[in-house]
Amino acid sequence: MDASSESVADESVRLRQHLSNLKGMLRRAGLLRGEDTSQDVTLLLDGLFGIATEVEQRIAQQTAELAAANDRLQREVLRRVQAEDAVRASERDWRLIIDNLPAGIVLMKPDGEVEVMNQPMLTYFGRTFEELKGWTASDVVHPDDRQSVLERFVRSVQTGEPYINEERHLGLDGAYRWFQVRGKLLRGQDGGVVRWCVLHTDIDERRRAEDAVRSSERDLKLIIDTIPGLAWSARPDGGADFFNRHYLEFVGLAPERVRDWGWTDAVHPHDLENLATVWRQVLLSEVPGSAEARLRRHDGEYRWCLFRVDALRDQAGKVVKWYGINTDIEDRKRTEAELGALKDQLYRENLALRHEVDRTSMFEEIVGASKTLKTVLSRIAKVAPTDSTVFISGETGTGKELIARAVHKRSSRAGRAFVSVNCAALAPTLISSELFGHEKGAFTGATQRRLGRFELADGGTIFLDEVGELLPETQAMLLRVLQEREFERVGGTHPVEVDVRVIAATNRDLKAAIGAGSFRQDLYYRLNVFPIEVPPLRERRDDLLMLVEYFVQRYASRAGKHVRSIDKKTLDLLQAYDWPGNIRELQNVIERSVILSSGSVFAVDELWLSTQSLHPVPRTAPVAVNHGDPRSEREIIETALAESRGRVAGPSGAAAKLNTPPRTLEHRIKALKIDKSRFKFR
């Protein structure tokens, strides 16, 4: 029972007590005597008791109603408490969500005063909520943006339109960052503004990237505008959409008139059809193309231009843009026109010159008509019919093997073999076997008899190139062949007779080698029966034009190209060069130039020729040790090995220090049983 019910019961008890007390007072007053009380008093008392009973009933009824109301009130209070707890939990969840959003959230009153600001915003600004409530008067907005921000905000308030702006805000670190601010008005049922809901998104990186792109675009446009050519671009369908500054200046067109200008208006009428055909083919095939046409300049003059175009494709290979450049080739075309009148005459002169070369100057692929070369050819003609040994000397690359072949072809042995041997290319341990052959079992790996080069050349000619590189033992065997016309195979015991004409060649000074002890004097005299000195190319400058013409036509024919003339600048360049590599270097330069050439005029890149004349090193012989005194020779070789730490070959090797071929030195080291390894760590 609650307090209200208890008070009603207490009142009922007190009322009964009052009635009882009243009845006692009436008796004491003589108004009530026993059973025969007067009717009035009795009626009065009965009325009072009736009233008391009715009051008591009403009190009980009200007590029940109050108890029911109290119960309803308690349930309502409990419901409201639970609802308030749910609301507070929802508010906590909502706050947790907005505080963890990767963006700034702000709720403001209609006048702009901040009501709510999430944690990312407070963290960025590094200020309290109270400091940021009046943002319009603070410095959080960049001074350059503040006026436009306020104007946009007022306009949004007045029109009800959403607020969208990009502005800079001051952070805790003292730096301004770009934000995209999007605000929306929240209205009540009456249409009035309730509050602003504002979203702040950090776009600083995007703005920096956009600024970088814009800067790059400006730089790119500057580059394109300064390209020394007429640059343009077109859409995939071929419609032109850009012309650089040089193009507009060339045709005399203002930038604002580009949209209404057709580029074909500036093309010469006689060239337009061909240019349009090429352009259509490029668009259909989607491959790069080029064409030549005349383009009208701003002063009305037509100038020849080379139109070139290429495609930009996406990842799928689809053309998304065409880029082209027109290069002014007017000077080149004029030069071609001037040269065109001379081409036929030059061609006829070339034919006549070739005929003259074939008639008087060609000698077994030896090209030239200079006095020095004629002397060589005269000596070849005199010695070729004989069987005399010929000794050819000259710098590397002068064509010593050609001279040897010419001697062979004009001799009575022309129908027999011509065997060429490069003595410098043979291994020291195998050179005797290569030249003279070997018997089965002569050494490890000799599983059968093998004929040497001299036997293969029997009845013909053997050409020993770089003969100065032969080892002393091989020199002795060669001397026997020259003297006795016989030799023994390696591992053999019976002499083998041969009828061979020997032609030897070297780029070394064998007389100096004889003085140094690395070449036999008697062998030198056997070889030097009929000497022929091949002049270097720098002493045959009168032959240079013939040689160039010969090699150009030779390699152009092999490459399937048609070269009709030679650039004058190239001729001057070739004439001024000293050609340290002689004919071989000239041949290589011309072959390379023919391969890379694309027109009918032959030209050589001057970068391929040394800017300084590289005179060849004089032909000298290696400084050899004294083979007659093994102890002295051993001491010399060991001293060189000690200085080079056991290295034989190479620029810092012992062979270089002794000016001796590496394989010759290796042979002597092996013969003297010198251990190279003991010098490596000294």
Side-chain angles (χ1 to χ4, degrees):
M1 182 179 293
D2 56 14
S4 59
S5 300
E6 291 178 355
S7 61
V8 172
D10 292 342
E11 289 296 329
S12 178
V13 171
R14 284 194 297 272
L15 180 59
R16 290 179 178 275
Q17 289 177 350
H18 287 312
L19 291 175
S20 178
N21 293 335
L22 178 61
K23 192 181 284 187
M25 290 174 62
L26 290 175
R27 283 193 180 102
R28 285 192 299 269
L31 296 177
L32 187 61
R33 298 183 180 93
E35 297 297 330
D36 49 354
T37 307
S38 66
Q39 186 67 31
D40 293 334
V41 174
T42 301
L43 291 174
L44 175 62
L45 291 175
D46 290 339
L48 289 173
F49 276 106
I51 293 171
T53 301
E54 184 179 354
V55 170
E56 183 178 355
Q57 290 175 350
R58 289 182 179 179
I59 289 172
Q61 182 180 359
Q62 290 179 358
T63 299
E65 291 176 355
L66 287 173
N70 181 61
D71 185 59
R72 288 195 300 272
L73 180 59
Q74 286 181 352
R75 287 196 300 271
E76 179 64 21
V77 169
L78 179 60
R79 186 185 65 79
R80 290 190 179 185
V81 169
Q82 291 175 344
E84 290 175 358
D85 290 342
V87 169
R88 282 191 292 270
S90 177
E91 289 178 350
R92 286 194 301 271
D93 294 341
W94 174 80
R95 186 70 193 194
L96 182 63
I97 291 172
I98 66 170
D99 280 343
N100 285 277
L101 287 175
I105 304 293
V106 179
L107 298 179
M108 297 188 299
K109 295 179 180 179
D111 60 358
E113 181 180 347
V114 177
E115 286 184 314
V116 177
M117 183 174 290
N118 71 343
Q119 190 59 42
M121 291 297 292
L122 295 174
T123 301
Y124 174 77
F125 289 118
R127 304 188 186 189
T128 64
F129 176 77
E130 294 298 326
E131 292 175 322
L132 294 170
K133 287 179 65 175
W135 63 271
T136 56
S138 69
D139 59 349
V140 296
V141 180
H142 194 284
D144 295 343
D145 303 337
R146 192 173 301 156
Q147 185 62 33
S148 64
V149 168
L150 291 174
E151 291 175 356
R152 286 175 179 269
F153 181 75
V154 171
R155 184 166 60 251
S156 295
V157 172
Q158 293 174 347
T159 61
E161 296 177 353
Y163 175 90
I164 302 175
N165 191 30
E166 293 184 359
E167 55 201 52
R168 287 164 288 182
H169 292 172
L170 179 65
L172 176 61
D173 57 358
Y176 285 94
R177 293 182 66 86
W178 281 98
F179 284 84
Q180 183 189 63
V181 182
R182 302 174 66 90
K184 184 177 181 181
L185 284 170
L186 301 181
R187 300 180 181 275
Q189 294 181 352
D190 58 353
V193 176
V194 177
R195 61 172 54 88
W196 283 92
C197 181
V198 184
L199 174 67
H200 292 69
T201 305
D202 190 328
I203 59 169
D204 195 71
E205 297 298 331
R206 191 200 77 187
R207 287 294 296 250
R208 292 179 187 276
E210 291 174 352
D211 291 342
V213 170
R214 283 191 290 269
S215 177
S216 177
E217 289 176 348
R218 288 193 298 269
D219 293 343
L220 180 60
K221 188 177 186 306
L222 180 62
I223 292 173
I224 294 175
D225 283 340
T226 54
I227 288 176
L230 313 182
W232 52 275
S233 66
R235 297 182 296 273
D237 61 0
D241 58 5
F242 171 78
F243 300 93
N244 74 339
R245 180 172 56 85
H246 278 303
Y247 204 122
L248 298 179
E249 291 177 352
F250 182 89
V251 298
L253 186 68
E256 57 272 13
R257 293 181 52 201
V258 170
R259 290 180 177 273
D260 303 325
W261 181 67
W263 63 272
T264 56
D265 296 342
V267 180
H268 195 285
H270 293 169
D271 305 331
L272 182 58
E273 182 177 356
N274 177 63
L275 184 62
T277 300
V278 173
W279 184 222
R280 284 194 295 269
Q281 292 174 349
V282 168
L283 294 176
L284 290 174
S285 62
E286 295 187 348
V287 297
S290 63
E292 294 180 359
R294 284 164 288 183
L295 200 62
R296 187 179 64 245
R297 200 167 59 181
H298 59 86
D299 57 1
E301 178 187 353
Y302 282 95
R303 294 185 65 86
W304 280 100
C305 290
L306 173 63
F307 291 66
R308 288 178 294 178
V309 63
D310 202 348
L312 174 67
R313 303 176 185 272
D314 58 16
Q315 294 181 349
K318 184 179 179 181
V319 175
V320 296
K321 201 79 166 178
W322 290 100
Y323 290 99
I325 187 167
N326 304 345
T327 306
D328 191 323
I329 58 171
E330 179 68 22
D331 294 339
R332 193 199 78 186
K333 296 291 283 189
R334 288 182 180 179
T335 302
E336 289 176 356
E338 293 172 357
L339 292 175
L342 301 175
K343 279 186 176 180
D344 293 339
Q345 180 181 353
L346 181 61
Y347 182 64
R348 289 192 296 270
E349 292 177 354
N350 286 339
L351 289 178
L353 180 60
R354 290 194 197 101
H355 178 72
E356 182 66 16
V357 168
D358 291 338
R359 188 178 66 83
T360 63
S361 304
M362 291 296 294
F363 195 97
E364 306 297 341
E365 294 187 347
I366 302 173
V367 181
S370 63
K371 183 178 179 180
T372 54
L373 183 61
K374 286 181 178 179
T375 301
V376 173
L377 298 180
S378 175
R379 294 180 66 82
I380 292 174
K382 291 177 181 179
V383 75
T386 72
D387 280 342
S388 300
T389 301
V390 179
F391 181 70
I392 305 171
S393 60
E395 296 176 6
T396 181
T398 52
K400 294 186 286 296
E401 184 171 349
L402 280 181
I403 300 296
R405 290 183 181 276
V407 172
H408 171 71
K409 289 182 180 180
R410 287 188 169 266
S411 70
S412 59
R413 300 171 180 266
R416 305 300 295 270
F418 177 85
V419 178
S420 178
V421 181
N422 188 337
C423 300
L426 298 177
T429 56
L430 299 177
I431 188 168
S432 297
S433 173
E434 288 289 335
L435 290 177
F436 307 112
H438 62 259
E439 297 289 349
K440 180 179 179 180
F443 50 83
T444 303
T447 57
Q448 60 184 1
R449 173 187 290 180
R450 179 182 178 185
L451 301 182
R453 302 293 180 90
F454 270 91
E455 287 185 81
L456 295 175
D458 189 21
T461 303
I462 187 169
F463 173 57
L464 302 176
D465 196 10
E466 304 294 346
V467 71
E469 302 294 333
L470 290 175
L471 298 175
E473 293 83 352
T474 310
Q475 292 179 27
M477 298 177 71
L478 177 59
L479 180 62
R480 180 182 177 185
V481 174
L482 294 175
Q483 290 177 338
E484 309 295 336
R485 298 291 175 177
E486 66 178 23
F487 61 89
E488 291 181 2
R489 301 188 188 97
V490 177
T493 58
H494 301 286
V496 178
E497 294 185 358
V498 289
D499 177 21
V500 177
R501 182 179 191 172
V502 177
I503 301 177
T506 184
N507 62 356
R508 292 185 175 274
D509 186 350
L510 292 189
K511 291 182 179 180
I514 292 171
S518 63
F519 199 83
R520 298 178 63 106
Q521 185 176 19
D522 49 359
L523 177 60
Y524 172 74
Y525 288 126
R526 283 289 181 181
L527 293 174
N528 195 32
V529 175
F530 193 90
I532 297 177
E533 176 77 21
V534 183
L537 183 56
R538 61 181 176 279
E539 296 178 6
R540 297 174 51 195
R541 295 194 182 276
D542 294 343
D543 296 334
L544 190 62
L545 179 59
M546 287 186 185
L547 288 166
V548 171
E549 177 73 15
Y550 173 75
F551 284 128
V552 167
Q553 294 303 323
R554 178 180 178 181
Y555 291 115
S557 177
R558 288 184 182 179
K561 297 184 178 181
H562 185 62
V563 179
R564 301 194 59 181
S565 61
I566 301 174
D567 182 54
K568 184 178 182 302
K569 181 179 178 182
T570 293
L571 287 176
D572 295 340
L573 181 66
L574 298 179
Q575 288 281 2
Y577 188 54
D578 276 351
W579 299 107
N582 294 294
I583 304 294
R584 184 180 296 118
E585 184 181 7
L586 174 65
Q587 183 178 351
N588 293 342
V589 169
I590 291 177
E591 182 178 5
R592 187 188 317 152
S593 301
V594 169
I595 292 172
L596 296 177
S597 66
S598 57
S600 61
V601 179
F602 175 79
V604 172
D605 189 343
E606 60 182 340
L607 297 178
W608 295 344
L609 304 180
S610 174
T611 56
Q612 297 180 348
S613 298
L614 301 176
H615 297 291
V617 178
R619 291 180 287 117
T620 60
V623 179
V625 296
N626 184 1
H627 301 301
D629 185 359
R631 290 176 299 174
S632 177
E633 181 181 3
R634 174 184 291 275
E635 291 174 359
I636 294 173
I637 293 176
E638 288 182 346
T639 301
L641 287 172
E643 293 176 356
S644 61
R645 295 184 178 272
R647 182 187 296 273
V648 175
S652 60
K657 295 181 181 297
L658 296 176
N659 199 16
T660 301
R663 64 176 178 276
T664 302
L665 184 58
E666 289 279 10
H667 175 78
R668 297 308 304 162
I669 291 172
K670 184 176 181 181
L672 295 172
K673 297 181 179 180
I674 298 174
D675 183 8
K676 295 183 296 182
S677 61
R678 64 191 179 91
F679 299 100
K680 290 184 178 181
F681 305 103
R682 286 193 171 185

